[in-house]
Amino acid sequence: MLDLKFIREHFDIVRQGAEAKGVTVNLGEIIALDEERRKFIQEGEALKAKRNEVSGQIGKLKKEGGDASGAINEMEKVKERIQAIDHELRIVESRLNAELLTVPNIPHPSVPVGRTPEDNKEIFTWGEHVKADFPLKPHWELTEKLGIIDFTRGARTAGAGFPFYVGKGATLERALINFFLDQALQRGYKELWPPIVVNEESARGTGQIPDKEDLMYAVERDQLFMIPTAEVPVSNFHRDELFPEADLPVRYAAYTPCFRREAGSYGKDVRGLNRLHQFDKVELVKFVHPSRSYEELESLKQDAEHLLQLLDLPYRTLLMCTGDMGFTQSKKYDLEVWAAGQQKWLEVSSCSNFEAFQAHRMNVRFRPSGGGKPEFAHTLNGSGLALPRVVAALIEHYQTPEGKVIIPKALHPYTRFELIG
């Protein structure tokens, strides 16, 4: 959430930022509601001051034996007006807060302006595409032949997008989770094991509400949401808390299953592991000082890239344009791994800086070491990594002419086997 004072003082910047993201907001309504709110507050405070002053006079009159009935009648009217103002103020503040939640975060000046994925900027590539003297197959053909992922039984049990991982396929999944977590711990993150459901306030805090309700599974009876990413519970871990400045930065790594309805997804991009309703992911979350948040974004990106390099999987890094970045981000990088069997790039990580946008919603602040008012922290997160497409790319990259899959050396201590098939 953007600060109301910032919106008032930087109206054009906020408007241009929303337009660059393709978001329509009624900033004029926000300003009008704010003015109405301030008038109610001013009138209410003036009446309360008058009430206190006259109450003292009434007490004095009574003590001296004078007639206080006129003042008492006047104060009854003042009391009624104060109650009416408080009621109207609550209504205006509720409308104002609802409107503020519709205002997107402002893109950082370094973010390219654009509306489609074609406007994203490729800033880095790493690794060589596999060159094979045999036809490379997509992972869904290989996994079916090897019997390591069962899409059919998953669909029968829960629906499309909920596969079973079987035998060495299950071991590979678990190996990657442990490998990603161990690498994060080595790079200074603290591990959390969070809940996989959150309440509405938590979803609102990270920006899933009111922007992405249709993408989440709701447990309506208990008013909970299945998490679409560990970002939501981990970011809310410090909601309504105040850090000492010396404690920043705080870095967390967490594994969770993730649940996404993926409403509207269809076609060839949903085949196999490319797009699932339930999937595993290790998430990296940071709470940092505002002066260092963009340095921390670069290091977050490097932490995610490091994993792909250890697995020796070719990838590219994209700087996302304003229209393809998302409602809550100020700046975002996407990492895409090359899937050799499909001959296409697959996104495996998004690394984002939200500046104070989420912290303002969650009331996560720090107290400056030199004194002064508490300030909002900056929050960042990134996938380190999302597993399904990593598994897809790994299987396609390391396939053999016989349809087997070689396990990259970095995973041998975790899988305890070097070949599937």
Side-chain angles (χ1 to χ4, degrees):
M1 179 187 292
L2 294 180
D3 182 74
L4 184 53
K5 183 173 182 287
F6 182 90
I7 294 174
R8 284 199 309 267
E9 295 177 355
H10 302 87
F11 186 90
D12 286 339
I13 293 175
V14 175
R15 176 182 55 79
Q16 291 165 7
E19 289 175 354
K21 285 191 171 186
V23 177
T24 301
V25 294
N26 192 345
L27 294 180
E29 177 72 4
I30 290 173
I31 298 301
L33 287 168
D34 181 41
E35 289 176 353
E36 189 175 0
R37 177 186 70 93
R38 296 164 87 179
K39 287 178 182 178
F40 279 133
I41 291 173
Q42 290 171 359
E43 184 183 356
E45 289 177 348
L47 288 174
K48 288 171 185 176
K50 182 177 180 180
R51 179 186 61 187
N52 294 338
E53 179 185 350
V54 175
S55 294
Q57 295 174 358
I58 291 171
K60 186 177 181 182
L61 279 171
K62 287 183 175 180
K63 188 175 181 180
E64 295 174 351
D67 182 8
S69 58
I72 291 172
N73 289 336
E74 182 183 359
M75 284 305 96
E76 282 298 320
K77 294 178 182 178
V78 168
K79 178 182 176 182
E80 290 175 2
R81 179 55 184 159
I82 289 173
Q83 290 174 341
I85 288 172
D86 288 343
H87 175 71
E88 292 297 326
L89 182 59
R90 285 193 294 271
I91 293 173
V92 168
E93 287 181 334
S94 177
R95 290 172 58 196
L96 177 58
N97 288 333
E99 289 293 335
L100 285 171
L101 290 174
T102 69
V103 181
N105 204 354
I106 298 171
H108 188 267
S110 63
V111 173
V113 176
R115 291 296 176 92
T116 69
E118 286 68 35
D119 297 316
N120 298 329
K121 182 179 179 182
E122 182 179 288
I123 61 171
F124 184 70
T125 59
W126 187 92
E128 296 291 331
H129 293 192
V130 63
K131 296 177 182 177
D133 55 4
F134 61 93
L136 293 170
K137 296 180 180 179
H139 67 275
W140 53 84
E141 293 184 14
L142 294 163
T143 55
E144 181 178 13
K145 177 185 174 184
L146 294 168
I148 57 174
I149 300 178
D150 197 319
F151 296 100
T152 302
R153 287 189 172 95
R156 185 191 308 156
T157 302
F162 295 92
F164 279 99
Y165 295 81
V166 181
K168 287 187 174 181
T171 303
L172 176 61
E173 186 82 357
R174 177 163 50 88
L176 282 164
I177 292 168
N178 290 332
F179 172 66
F180 292 159
L181 283 172
D182 283 351
Q183 287 297 316
L185 299 187
Q186 289 176 27
R187 295 172 79 87
Y189 293 83
K190 178 185 289 187
E191 185 174 357
L192 287 182
W193 196 278
I196 62 170
V197 295
V198 293
N199 56 29
E200 184 174 327
E201 188 175 359
S202 294
R204 186 178 294 108
T206 47
Q208 271 65 37
I209 293 175
D211 182 45
K212 302 182 179 70
E213 296 98 325
D214 289 344
L215 299 181
M216 292 190 292
Y217 286 99
V219 186
E220 294 181 358
R221 180 173 178 175
D222 299 301
Q223 297 182 314
L224 296 170
F225 294 94
M226 307 295 291
I227 62 169
T229 164
E231 166 200 346
V232 184
V234 176
S235 296
N236 279 275
F237 186 63
H238 289 294
R239 191 172 72 208
D240 294 321
E241 292 185 12
L242 183 65
F243 289 107
E245 183 178 2
D247 286 358
L248 299 177
V250 175
R251 304 181 179 99
Y252 293 115
Y255 155 71
T256 63
C258 303
F259 304 88
R260 298 185 186 177
R261 293 183 61 242
E262 298 290 3
S265 299
Y266 62 93
K268 61 183 180 165
D269 288 338
V270 303
R271 293 206 63 179
L273 296 171
N274 286 0
R275 193 173 296 276
L276 302 178
H277 293 304
Q278 178 184 333
F279 61 94
D280 296 311
K281 180 156 68 83
V282 172
E283 190 76 5
L284 308 175
V285 175
K286 297 183 179 185
F287 300 86
V288 307
H289 193 282
S291 66
R292 294 185 55 85
S293 67
Y294 283 95
E295 293 176 44
E296 291 286 350
L297 176 61
E298 296 303 314
S299 69
L300 176 65
K301 173 174 64 69
Q302 291 165 11
D303 292 338
E305 290 177 333
H306 178 67
L307 299 170
L308 294 171
Q309 292 172 10
L310 290 176
L311 294 175
D312 202 18
L313 291 174
Y315 70 91
R316 67 177 182 175
T317 304
L318 302 176
L319 174 58
M320 310 304 284
C321 72
T322 54
D324 201 31
M325 182 169 58
F327 185 87
T328 55
Q329 291 98 340
S330 287
K331 186 173 183 176
K332 182 173 83 162
Y333 295 108
D334 272 6
L335 306 186
E336 295 183 341
V337 69
W338 179 250
Q342 302 173 67
Q343 292 289 292
K344 65 186 296 183
W345 295 102
L346 300 176
E347 179 201 327
V348 293
S349 178
S350 291
C351 299
S352 303
N353 188 351
F354 304 90
E355 295 192 357
F357 192 83
Q358 291 181 329
H360 196 279
R361 290 181 175 218
M362 298 183 294
N363 192 31
V364 179
R365 300 173 298 161
F366 68 93
R367 187 178 297 283
S369 300
K373 290 176 57 178
E375 300 177 30
F376 287 107
H378 281 194
T379 61
L380 303 91
N381 69 54
S383 311
L385 300 163
L387 270 77
R389 295 170 185 171
V390 171
V391 171
L394 187 153
I395 287 171
E396 294 180 18
H397 183 81
Y398 286 103
Q399 63 181 287
T400 71
E402 301 78 24
K404 301 178 181 181
V405 176
I406 299 168
I407 302 298
K409 290 182 179 179
L411 292 179
H412 291 177
Y414 295 89
T415 59
R416 295 186 174 84
F417 54 79
E418 301 178 12
L419 187 72
I420 298 178

